[in-house]
Amino acid sequence: MARFTAEHQLFRQTVREFVEKEINPYADEWEAAGTFPAHELFRKAGSLGLLGVEYDPAYGGGGADHWYTVVLGEELGRADCGGVPMAINVQTDMATPALAKHGSHELKKAYLEPALRGELVASIAVTEPDAGSDVASIKTTARRDGDEYVISGSKIYITNGTQADFLTLLARTSPEAGYRGMSLIIVPTDRPGFRVARKLRKLGNHSSDTAELVFDDVRVPVTNRIGEEGQGFYLQMEQFQKERLIAVYTALGGLQRAMERTAAYLRERKAFGGPLLGMQYIQYTLAELQVEIESLRQLAYAAAEGVVAGENVTRLATMAKFKAGRLVRRVADTCLQFHGGAGYMEEMWTSRYFRDSRLLGIGGGADEVMLRVLVKTEGLEV
Ligand SMILES: Cc1cc2nc3c(=O)[nH]c(=O)nc-3n(C[C@H](O)[C@H](O)[C@H](O)COP(=O)(O)OP(=O)(O)OC[C@H]3O[C@@H](n4cnc5c(N)ncnc54)[C@H](O)[C@@H]3O)c2cc1C
C-alpha cells in the first residue's frame, strides 16, 4: 500500500521548506539565546497549516489523515536543532489533543482555534518537582470555589513554559480519589497568582525554553475544564499517546538526516589511503544502524496505520517510543564517534545532536515507563 500520496509529498515539501527557511538559518542564534520567538514562528507555521493537520476544520484544523502527522514529524526532525521541533510538537500534539477531542465548543473557540493559527502558545503542564513518571502522585490542586477552580502548586520542566499563553494543566480536583481525582484544565498564564519561577538550563535542546511554574491561588472558570471532572488522568494518558507518536516520527527524521550527513562526511574524510567510508567496519556499523532505523520506521508506520484504522495502538506506540529513545542515543553516539575530534566540536552538528537526542529516553515517559506498559501488553505480569 502506498502510504504517502502525491498530496502527502507536497505537504512534505512545504514542511521541508519551512524548516530550511524559518528554522535552520536561526538555529545557532536560538540555541545560544536559550529560547526562540515562539509567537513569531508559530504564526508562520500556523499560516502554512502546520499546527493542526488532523484537527477539525471548524476550528482551523486541516482535517487531514494521520499520515500528514507522520510527514510533519519526519520533516521537523530534519531541523538543525531538536529544541524548536519539540516546541512545535508540544503545540500540535502534546498540549492540544485532549482539548481538540474533549473540550467544549467555547473552550476550543477560545484556545484551540488561536493555537492552530499560532497566535497563542501552549504548554502541557503535568510534571511536578515530586512527580514525573508516577503521574498519579501529582500534588497540584484545583479546589472548587463556586464557578471557579483555585489552583495551587507547581510544575517543572515545562516546554514553552516562559512563553506560553495557556497551559493544559493536570491538577487534583479531589484529593482523596486517586487516579479518578484529577482533571485537565486550561489555565491562561495572564491570571494573578501565576508566575514563571525560573527558566531552566539544560544539557541539550537549548533553543527550547523550559520552565518551572508556580500557581498561587490562580483562579480559572470551571468551564475551562476539559471533559468531565475526575477524567483528567485518563485524558492525559490518551494525550500521551499522541505525544509519543509525534516524538517517534520526529526522531525518525533526525535519525535519517544524521545517517546521511555521516555517510557524506566519511566519503570525503580520508585516512589510511582512502575515504573512511571505505572501512568495512564503518560500512557494516552504518548498515546495521540502517536496519535498526528501518525497523523503527516499520514499527512507527504500523502504529500510524493502526491510528488511521481507529485501532488502539498503545502496544505499537509504546514499543516505538522505547525503541526510538534507545536508538537515537546509539546513532548520535556512533555519528559523533565516526566524526572523530571534529565530531566533539561545538561547531559540528554531531555535538548538538548528541546532547539533544538524550532527552527522548526520558521525556514523555522514560524508557522504563514504556517497559512498564509493555510488561502489561506482553502479558508478563505475575
Ligand atoms: C527538556 C525536558 C522537557 C520536558 N517537557 C515537559 C513538558 O512540557 N511538560 C511536562 O509535563 N513534562 C515535561 N518534561 C518532564 C518529563 O516528562 C519527565 O522528566 C519524565 O516524565 C520523567 O519524570 P521525572 O523527571 O520526574 O523522573 P522520575 O519519575 O523521578 O524518574 C527518574 C528515572 O527513574 C526511572 N524510572 C521511573 N519509573 C520507573 C519504573 N517504574 N521502573 C524503573 N525505573 C523507573 C527512569 O529511568 C526515570 O528516568 C520535560 C522534561 C525535560 C527534561
Side-chain angles (χ1 to χ4, degrees), residues 14 66 73 96 98 148-149 182 193 196 213 227 231 245 262 265 275 305:
T14 302
H66 188 66
T96 49
E148 292 182 319
Y149 284 121
M182 292 175 234
V196 176
L213 311 175
Q231 284 296 306
L245 286 171
T262 299
Y265 177 83
E305 260 164 18

Side-chain angles (χ1 to χ4, degrees), residues 189-266:
T189 56
D190 60 359
R191 295 293 147 110
F194 170 81
R195 71 188 161 89
V196 176
R198 57 191 176 124
K199 179 168 173 285
L200 298 154
R201 294 182 64 211
K202 311 186 291 294
L203 171 69
N205 282 291
H206 291 153
S207 47
S208 152
D209 56 302
T210 310
E212 179 172 3
L213 311 175
V214 170
F215 307 83
D216 193 4
D217 287 344
V218 177
R219 289 182 171 266
V220 299
V222 167
T223 49
N224 274 27
R225 194 187 62 231
I226 299 171
E228 297 298 312
E229 190 165 280
Q231 284 296 306
F233 182 81
Y234 303 99
L235 298 185
Q236 183 51 36
M237 289 301 126
E238 185 182 44
Q239 186 160 252
F240 268 140
Q241 190 118 303
K242 296 264 180 206
E243 168 165 350
R244 288 165 190 162
L245 286 171
I246 191 75
V248 170
Y249 306 147
T250 305
L252 277 169
L255 284 164
Q256 203 52 53
R257 183 153 187 245
M259 295 296 285
E260 289 162 15
R261 290 170 119 180
T262 299
Y265 177 83
L266 295 170

